[in-house]
Amino acid sequence: MNNAYFHVKLPVNEPIKGYMSGSPEKVALKAELARQLASPVEIPIIIGGKEIRSEHKAKMICPHDHQKVLGEYYIAGEKELRMAIEAAEAAREEWENMPWEHRATIFLKAADLLTGKYRAKLSASCMLGQSKNPFQAEIDIICELADFLRFNTYYVQEIYKQQPLSTDGVWNRVEYRALDGFVAAITPFNFTSIAGNLPTAPAMCGNTVLWKPSSTSVLSSYYVMQILMEAGLPAGVINFLPCRGVDFGEVVMPHPKMAGFHFTGSTAVFNDIWQQVGQNINNYVTYPRLVGETGGKDFIFAHESADVEALTCAIILGAFEYQGQKCSAASRAYIPESLWGEVKERLEKEIAKIKMGDVCDFTNLMNAVIDQKSFNNIKSYLDYARESNDAEIIIGGGCDDSVGYFVEPTVIVAKSPKFKTMVEEIFGPVITIYVYPNDKLDETLQSCDAATSYALTGAVFAQDRAAIIKLAKRLDHAAGNFYINDKPTGAVVGQQPFGGSRGSGTNDKAGSAINLQRWMNQRTIKETLVPRTVVNYPYMGEE
Ligand code: NAD
């Protein structure tokens, strides 16, 4: 024991590489894409540090070219899930008691490995498996994931430093224990950074974790798991369990030692699990912490003083980057009549230039949506809009799943702010616009605030300062991440802590100290230096 206090340095955000022509990162990435396409892989379940192969397997394909197979993964069933609970429980005591600086080092090393020698491998897996262009892969699996690991380590240290007041003769202390059981992490397909963050944030705080990755992002999630193991994560601390959601729900969630649930995904799944937890509430050893970031119906609200060029650029990038499959994607916009002619013209001109196709063609801005189910769902909304008298598809609307799951960037204009595509999450490259009469600003703001059940992200565009103040105030509960004159996507760890409320989640702000505190279980200790020996109080004495 050296009895020293160590400091995790304040991190800086991982710089985004440009992938310019001839750059070493571009050359390496292209070579890695070719290598992964030519060498399908087999992905095991990982329980207690061991590779496990079950009886069931599933294929991993490229969404932009569904005949291309990237490999297969093994699916955990009830037996493997029960083994994982045992492994997590067995690893818990030693992990929780590992000195903090050693726990921290594992995650800091993982960040350096992923931004260093594994950068191309990770980016390529995310591009091929989740149909991301190089920039989208870079900001997700490289920069954001490294930021989560480094900033969270720093925030844990800052929490550990916080101590209560002490008085003369009394030393008060707070210990930050792990939770009294394991944490279940269920992760979405759309960001591998989130997939990596949900199990690592609780693990950093001394918890052991069961991680269920999404079936459509197993490849990149597995490489993250491998890096964590290479960085020194002990066996059983995080158990990697590709499996069916219902199996995880039935076996893991009602277990008495399930002490925390870290989720990102759709509102419906989070609500189901919350209900399941409620039904089992008498069986748990401790009240499980429930943290969920869920769906969104994110808005752009333009005031008549808005800068039209900035506004249209935000609509296009906010709605169509990564095919609109960001929880923060702009999917409804409110434009004043006086600006609409110019906005429409610019949208038509700029969207016509967007190229869509295979991720290996770096001239494409857009690629495919994640799978057949998602393609069918988006198409059903477009069919609905096409057949309705209350809306018109003015740009795009085409869908083609013959080679990959491609949906054109689409703009719908709705006659009512309550039209179906103005209120429901579609999770595709579709934005619906409501053009409002300039003198109906207050009514339209009311509709923007109340029309959907979500409150994740939102942006207002205005140059008039009084209008900015009015819009920001009127929409203060409509978004957990609020933007002024910027698109509602692209939150950066350490800069814009992310999350929303209402139907969008518990707003525990991923990548912040608030989130990490949910995975800690404080014990307050009062130590009295010279304990009192007299029972009577002074007031009891009579002269
Ligand atoms: P999803 O809800 O379909 O799946 C999320 C995870 O839950 C997957 O691992 C899935 O296999 C699992 N799952 C599905 N049914 C389950 C069940 N019955 N029991 C247990 N697990 C189950 O979401 P998705 O399609 O992966 O991601 C898109 C959704 O995620 C969108 O709604 C999006 O808005 C949301 N999202 C939110 C944020 C945020 O920060 N708020 C970030 C990313 C994505």
Side-chain angles (χ1 to χ4, degrees):
M1 253 316 163
N2 48 37
N3 294 322
Y5 292 100
F6 305 102
H7 301 289
V8 177
K9 75 179 173 71
L10 178 65
V12 288
N13 291 109
E14 175 66 21
I16 301 170
K17 287 196 188 281
Y19 295 88
M20 321 272 218
S21 273
S23 63
E25 68 266 18
K26 189 166 198 170
V27 172
L29 182 58
K30 288 210 160 178
E32 183 60 20
L33 285 165
R35 192 193 69 77
Q36 290 191 19
L37 280 169
S39 13
V41 290
E42 192 197 69
I43 294 182
I45 299 157
I46 297 174
I47 300 173
K50 294 200 179 68
E51 296 189 354
I52 308 283
R53 288 168 176 79
S54 64
E55 286 160 16
H56 300 286
K57 283 196 278 188
K59 275 196 183 118
M60 299 177 296
I61 53 135
C62 294
H64 43 271
D65 189 347
H66 41 61
Q67 296 311 304
K68 278 192 186 138
V69 176
L70 297 167
E72 290 183 319
Y73 66 91
Y74 286 90
I75 302 172
E78 182 180 342
K79 185 175 96 185
E80 290 78 21
L81 292 171
R82 293 207 186 283
M83 280 167 62
I85 294 173
E86 275 176 32
E89 282 294 284
R92 199 150 62 87
E93 191 179 340
E94 201 172 322
W95 177 241
E96 182 181 13
N97 289 308
M98 182 184 276
W100 158 239
E101 70 275 14
H102 292 287
R103 243 188 296 140
T105 307
I106 293 167
F107 299 100
L108 294 173
K109 178 170 177 178
D112 282 5
L113 287 173
L114 76 90
T115 53
K117 67 174 173 171
Y118 292 120
R119 199 172 192 120
K121 181 176 177 179
L122 286 182
S123 278
S125 70
C126 195
M127 289 173 68
L128 295 170
Q130 288 140 269
S131 207
K132 294 201 174 203
N133 68 32
F135 177 74
Q136 293 301 319
E138 169 81 7
I139 59 172
D140 169 15
I141 195 168
I142 305 301
C143 300
E144 185 166 81
L145 183 51
D147 287 351
F148 273 135
L149 294 167
R150 292 174 180 145
F151 279 86
N152 279 347
T153 312
Y154 178 79
Y155 294 140
V156 169
Q157 159 187 274
E158 295 304 295
I159 296 171
Y160 284 176
K161 278 188 199 162
Q162 291 172 27
Q163 290 296 317
L165 293 176
S166 291
T167 51
D168 287 347
V170 171
W171 188 2
N172 294 319
R173 303 191 287 271
V174 163
E175 288 178 347
Y176 295 90
R177 302 167 300 177
L179 303 184
D180 198 358
F182 64 83
V183 172
I186 299 186
T187 62
F189 81 84
N190 64 335
F191 279 97
T192 309
S193 54
I194 298 176
N197 181 46
L198 300 197
T200 52
M204 220 173 257
C205 305
N207 298 284
T208 55
V209 182
L210 269 66
W211 173 19
K212 182 213 149 341
S214 166
S215 57
T216 41
S217 64
V218 175
L219 183 66
S220 61
S221 299
Y222 175 64
Y223 290 147
V224 171
M225 181 70 198
Q226 278 194 322
I227 286 175
L228 288 166
M229 292 195 296
E230 184 174 331
L233 192 75
V237 171
I238 295 178
N239 300 279
F240 180 74
L241 304 160
C243 64
R244 295 191 320 147
V246 281
D247 292 341
F248 196 90
E250 276 168 23
V251 179
V252 177
M253 300 316 292
H255 193 280
K257 297 307 291 273
M258 199 282 289
F261 176 47
H262 206 187
F263 177 79
T264 297
S266 59
T267 305
V269 172
F270 190 52
N271 289 357
D272 279 354
I273 291 179
W274 192 299
Q275 271 175 354
Q276 211 177 355
V277 170
Q279 278 156 13
N280 286 289
I281 202 70
N282 293 322
N283 302 335
Y284 297 114
V285 168
T286 187
Y287 286 104
R289 307 268 173 98
L290 305 179
V291 175
E293 293 300 334
T294 57
K297 187 71 191 171
D298 311 298
F299 62 84
I300 291 182
F301 197 106
H303 179 256
E304 61 188 15
S305 68
D307 171 338
V308 171
E309 259 180 72
L311 171 64
T312 45
C313 181
I315 293 175
I316 293 169
L317 294 178
F320 303 136
E321 280 194 298
Y322 191 39
Q323 296 75 260
Q325 300 173 114
K326 300 188 181 191
C327 48
S328 54
S331 62
R332 53 182 169 133
Y334 303 80
I335 312 289
E337 238 166 21
S338 56
L339 299 185
W340 176 233
E342 208 185 329
V343 170
K344 183 170 181 247
E345 202 177 300
R346 286 193 71 84
L347 287 175
E348 285 166 345
K349 192 169 125 217
E350 293 299 324
I351 294 172
K353 294 185 205 157
I354 293 178
K355 275 192 71 194
M356 181 166 72
D358 197 302
V359 298
C360 294
D361 177 351
F362 283 24
T363 62
N364 289 323
L365 180 73
M366 286 177 63
N367 311 105
V369 300
I370 193 71
D371 60 11
Q372 187 75 57
K373 190 172 155 222
S374 176
F375 176 89
N376 293 346
N377 180 48
I378 300 164
K379 186 170 179 303
S380 73
Y381 278 100
L382 299 183
D383 292 343
Y384 179 88
R386 203 172 280 116
E387 282 156 23
S388 168
N389 293 325
D390 295 325
E392 187 192 352
I393 298 177
I394 61 158
I395 300 171
C399 303
D400 182 351
D401 60 353
S402 52
V403 177
Y405 306 114
F406 291 105
V407 179
E408 285 176 357
T410 299
V411 179
I412 300 171
V413 175
K415 287 187 190 152
S416 156
K418 292 188 179 145
F419 185 69
K420 191 177 169 75
T421 63
M422 282 295 287
V423 298
E424 293 180 16
E425 184 179 48
I426 302 174
F427 225 58
V430 181
I431 186 160
T432 307
I433 292 177
Y434 173 66
V435 181
Y436 69 91
N438 285 41
D439 62 357
K440 294 271 189 287
L441 176 65
D442 290 335
E443 295 87 327
T444 313
L445 280 169
Q446 154 68 17
S447 184
C448 178
D449 181 35
T452 85
S453 53
Y454 300 107
L456 190 52
T457 75
V460 295
F461 276 77
Q463 296 186 88
D464 174 338
R465 186 50 54 180
I468 292 174
I469 294 168
K470 176 179 171 136
L471 269 50
K473 180 74 203 95
R474 183 61 193 84
L475 297 171
D476 61 350
H477 282 283
N481 281 62
F482 192 74
Y483 295 80
I484 299 170
N485 292 323
D486 205 341
K487 64 185 169 65
T489 57
V492 176
V493 177
Q495 298 188 35
Q496 298 99 20
F498 192 80
S501 57
R502 296 185 181 162
S504 291
T506 54
N507 202 11
D508 289 295
K509 298 293 186 203
S512 78
I514 292 166
N515 177 285
L516 293 156
Q517 264 171 340
R518 301 298 310 272
W519 314 116
M520 298 176 185
N521 187 20
Q522 299 184 359
R523 178 168 79 152
T524 304
I525 298 171
K526 175 188 180 189
E527 180 165 355
T528 301
L529 305 184
V530 183
R532 161 179 175 159
T533 51
V534 178
V535 172
N536 283 0
Y537 286 90
Y539 77 87
M540 295 164 82
E542 296 285 6
E543 73 281 2

